[in-house]
Amino acid sequence: MTASPSAAAKQWPEFLVALALAAGPVVALGFTRFAYALLLPAMREKLHWSYAAAGGMNTANALGYIIGAATAAWWSRRFGSRSAFVWGIVISALALLASGATDNFAGLTVLRFIGGLSTAVTFVVGSALASRVHSGGQQARSASLVAMYMAGVGIGVVLSGVVVPAALTAWGVSGWQAGWLLMGLLALLAIGPAAWAARQVPEQAASGATHGGRAGLKPLTPLFVWYVLFGAGYVSYMTFVVALLHSQGMKVWGTGTFFIVLGVASAAATLLVWGRVIGRLRGGTAPALVSAVVLIGVLPVLLWHGMGAAIASAIIFGGSFMAGPTAVTVLARRMLPAHAWTLGIALLTVAFSVGQAVGPLVSGLLSDSSGGIAKGLWLSVVLLAVSAAVALIQRERTAEHHHQEAPAAASAPSAVRR
């Protein structure tokens, strides 16, 4: 159903709507996706998992993510982008709560799969909503608002960096279940602001140009390849870095501090730096730069031990890894007509998800072999280096986008006052 925003909704500033939309990635990625790394050492010890089994759990999550990303545009068309976004958060919250209620491997695997599916729908549809908060032609303004939405990931990482160590301190390795439950309760609280923000953004008018939209994605082929490699490289680090620090002797609150710093760096850099930088760069320059900085962020924990190396890694990696989805969303907005944004972002996220499905499994297998976790994390370095080279092939074409976007933007007025 297409609805016009109310006069009251128009009074809300764009930045406030984008920030409230960020409640989606707080839950979808900060909790459902990334907090697993903090819980992994305790879950492995309590449940007697190998690293391959632990990586396989995240692969199940990524497979759900692939399906969710592939069907996100359909859910958006079928139920409306607002409902798809909000219900994705609701399902993620329920999956988090259920994860704290069982220690069965098969059950947890299914819940990770469901959480991955709901996460993808939330993140993809939310990205499209964030792209529509500002419907004018100011590319830098739009990039900054998308970056504000992406900053929700860092906020979620910070919250999980407080909640999970608190649960593990109170209940020891058995506290992993309490960690899931506490994040589930916080996720329920996030539904309110997310639902409010979604109502401030107009529904995108339906378009029959799905086939044309798919054909229009061909110029983005290098970006698709980059996103596969980047997804595999960065998520291997995010899955196993806490286990690496734990194996190096770091205690619960040490790894919690690492996660908090990573989350703060992510939110701050996404809000203050990357939105402006990406808004000014063209073609594949921004994705290549992101890969290079993320690669540098992986190196400290591989080359040195101790809190200093961990904090350096958290600041550099944390300050750059969510710039990848920001760059992709902004480039898709520039190169695709407005009606194809959700589809384009969804299919790009499928590519991202393929990398995220394969990366942890291969990294886990390498970590189980001689050389340990560090050997698995060197895979991240190689993949990120290759992804940077691939990104530089991407060229930007905007003429068709500007021609087609103008009528769509004119027919769907901005939901907030500019």
Side-chain angles (χ1 to χ4, degrees):
M1 180 178 69
T2 302
S4 298
S6 67
K10 293 181 182 179
Q11 298 175 3
W12 293 102
E14 290 175 335
F15 79 87
L16 190 59
V17 175
L19 192 59
L21 284 174
V26 166
V27 175
L29 295 179
F31 294 167
T32 307
R33 183 70 173 156
F34 296 138
Y36 174 66
L38 275 176
L39 292 161
L40 177 57
M43 293 179 76
R44 280 193 69 246
E45 182 176 344
K46 186 69 175 179
L47 303 177
H48 310 293
W49 291 351
S50 66
Y51 284 116
M57 188 70 66
N58 240 18
T59 294
N61 183 262
L63 289 173
Y65 203 93
I66 291 172
I67 295 173
T71 59
W74 182 86
W75 292 109
S76 183
R77 289 194 303 272
R78 177 67 178 83
F79 298 103
S81 55
R82 300 166 182 168
S83 294
F85 176 67
V86 174
W87 277 103
I89 299 174
V90 171
I91 294 170
S92 292
L94 295 176
L96 288 167
L97 291 169
S99 295
T102 181
D103 60 0
N104 179 268
F105 184 85
L108 287 168
T109 301
V110 170
L111 289 170
R112 290 295 287 163
F113 174 85
I114 294 172
L117 193 155
S118 60
T119 289
V121 173
T122 297
F123 188 64
V124 169
V125 177
S127 297
L129 287 171
S131 296
R132 297 204 300 268
V133 170
H134 178 76
S135 61
Q138 300 177 34
Q139 298 287 0
R141 176 67 170 169
S142 177
S144 294
L145 291 168
V146 170
M148 192 169 292
Y149 168 79
M150 298 295 177
V153 178
I155 296 170
V157 169
V158 170
L159 291 173
S160 62
V162 174
V163 168
V164 172
L168 295 176
T169 299
W171 291 285
V173 293
S174 298
W176 67 267
Q177 290 179 299
W180 286 121
L181 291 171
L182 289 170
M183 287 187 292
L185 293 174
L186 289 175
L188 292 177
L189 295 176
I191 295 171
W196 170 82
R199 288 196 298 270
Q200 312 311 309
V201 184
E203 290 284 8
Q204 180 67 48
S207 171
T210 303
H211 177 72
R214 289 180 184 273
L217 295 175
K218 290 182 179 179
L220 290 171
T221 298
L223 190 65
F224 275 91
V225 177
W226 171 80
Y227 220 15
V228 172
L229 296 168
F230 180 78
Y234 102 92
V235 83
S236 297
Y237 172 95
M238 283 298 292
T239 301
F240 292 112
V241 64
V242 173
L244 174 67
L245 296 176
H246 183 73
S247 73
Q248 293 173 353
M250 192 171 290
K251 303 302 181 184
V252 168
W253 277 107
T255 55
T257 300
F258 164 83
F259 227 61
I260 291 170
V261 172
L262 188 149
V264 170
S266 175
T270 303
L271 282 170
L272 303 175
V273 179
W274 285 109
R276 293 181 175 87
V277 171
I278 291 169
R280 288 169 171 78
L281 297 177
R282 292 293 179 264
T285 307
L289 178 62
V290 172
S291 285
V293 178
V294 172
L295 186 158
I296 293 170
V298 175
L299 294 176
V301 292
L302 291 174
L303 299 177
W304 303 283
H305 291 188
M307 182 58 76
I311 295 301
S313 183
I315 292 172
I316 301 170
F317 183 97
S320 55
F321 78 103
M322 279 311 298
T326 304
V328 164
T329 301
V330 169
L331 200 53
R333 187 184 192 276
R334 288 175 179 168
M335 293 184 64
L336 298 174
H339 66 75
W341 287 350
T342 301
L343 176 64
I345 293 170
L347 294 178
L348 282 160
T349 305
V350 170
F352 192 38
S353 307
V354 170
Q356 291 184 91
V358 175
L361 185 59
V362 176
S363 183
L365 291 169
L366 289 173
S367 297
D368 281 328
S369 65
S370 59
I373 309 172
K375 182 178 179 180
L377 287 184
W378 277 107
L379 175 66
S380 292
V381 175
V382 174
L383 291 172
L384 289 166
V386 176
S387 73
V390 169
L392 292 174
I393 302 172
Q394 179 67 56
R395 296 292 179 265
E396 185 170 332
R397 287 165 38 185
T398 58
E400 181 182 355
H401 166 252
H402 288 314
H403 175 74
Q404 291 181 277
E405 181 188 358
S411 64
S414 177
V416 290
R417 182 171 57 193
R418 293 191 294 276

